[in-house]
Amino acid sequence: MKKLLTFLTSIVFIFLLGSVLYVLGLLPFSATESTTEKPTQEVTTLEEVPDFLSDAKIGRAKTYEEHVHRGELLEENGYHNLAIAEYKAALALDNSIATPLLEMGKIYLRMDDYIKAKVNFEEALGKDPENIDIKIYLGRALLGDRKIAEAQKIFSTIGEDNQQSLYYKGIIAAFFRDYEGSKNLLRQSLDVEPSTQDLKNKAYNFL
């Protein structure tokens, strides 16, 4: 009876993970990743600068910090094209800082433009190689672009004390059919701090 329950539990776990991997487009029909690249999505929607960020209110050249702040405000209000333009302007003033590249990558990631997101995150990581947030975002972009082995390498550079990293390592382990390893990683993700309840709920769904 105990063996039967263990078997049934494993079947349920595999089914749940399969459902999520299917939604993510990562269902492991083979361990070989797709080599077909998605066409890059261009940002073509025209946007007008909102009144509260009108250049007329400044009357001088903006500083790096002002461009970044404007980019953040525009991004928060859904002006993605204008936000990207501000981050590019900030980068033109100081290309030694990873922040504008990270923020542009996050916008492209939300738009499912994984190729542009990856390019920006990789460049940001080159400027700040130990930044865990950049590594996680880069890993997510690689997963979205079905570069599973590359994503695995990125997440492997992050320690076992990061909830997001453990969660995505668990998902990747399932992709490669290491279901026991996947469960162990997902269980670990429940115990680390800081954590988010949303990610805990996702991990609980498989356990």
Side-chain angles (χ1 to χ4, degrees):
M1 178 63 72
K2 184 176 180 181
K3 289 183 178 180
L4 177 61
L5 288 174
T6 301
F7 174 75
L8 291 174
T9 300
S10 298
I11 292 296
V12 171
F13 176 77
I14 292 169
F15 174 77
L16 288 171
L17 272 178
S19 300
V20 169
L21 292 171
Y22 176 80
V23 171
L24 291 174
L26 303 178
L27 194 64
F29 296 108
S30 71
T32 304
E33 298 165 21
S34 169
T35 57
T36 303
E37 292 199 348
K38 294 170 60 178
T40 301
Q41 300 175 5
E42 294 293 336
V43 182
T44 56
T45 305
L46 296 177
E47 297 172 347
E48 294 183 2
V49 178
D51 290 339
F52 69 92
L53 285 178
S54 172
D55 287 339
K57 296 182 179 181
I58 297 179
R60 56 172 171 74
K62 293 183 283 292
T63 66
Y64 167 89
E65 290 78 9
E66 286 171 335
H67 279 300
V68 170
H69 182 60
R70 285 166 63 89
E72 291 169 348
L73 291 175
L74 288 163
E75 187 177 346
E76 289 171 2
N77 287 277
Y79 295 92
H80 299 312
N81 297 333
L82 295 174
I84 288 171
E86 291 292 345
Y87 290 131
K88 286 182 177 179
L91 198 62
L93 292 175
D94 188 346
N95 65 1
S96 67
I97 303 176
T99 300
L101 291 161
L102 172 60
E103 295 303 323
M104 285 191 288
K106 287 159 68 174
I107 292 174
Y108 287 126
L109 186 62
R110 281 195 290 274
M111 296 168 59
D112 295 334
D113 191 339
Y114 302 117
I115 295 174
K116 284 188 177 181
K118 172 190 168 185
V119 168
N120 279 274
F121 292 141
E122 285 180 335
E123 193 172 343
L125 193 61
K127 299 178 186 299
D128 192 357
E130 301 304 317
N131 191 308
I132 292 177
D133 286 339
I134 297 176
K135 290 181 180 181
I136 290 173
Y137 277 114
L138 175 56
R140 289 175 55 188
L142 290 166
L143 286 176
D145 197 30
R146 294 181 59 81
K147 306 298 184 183
I148 313 303
E150 291 180 35
Q152 186 178 45
K153 289 179 182 178
I154 292 296
F155 286 117
S156 71
T157 66
I158 303 174
E160 300 299 307
D161 58 349
N162 184 279
Q163 184 196 32
Q164 289 190 68
S165 176
L166 287 167
Y167 174 80
Y168 287 113
K169 285 177 183 177
I171 295 297
I172 291 171
F175 177 87
F176 289 112
R177 299 186 174 89
D178 179 9
Y179 299 116
E180 281 304 312
S182 178
K183 285 194 288 187
N184 289 334
L185 287 163
L186 290 170
R187 288 192 188 101
Q188 289 181 53
S189 74
L190 299 174
D191 298 327
V192 298
E193 295 294 342
S195 64
T196 66
Q197 191 59 47
D198 178 60
L199 216 53
K200 281 187 175 183
N201 291 340
K202 290 179 181 178
Y204 274 127
N205 286 336
F206 307 129
L207 300 173

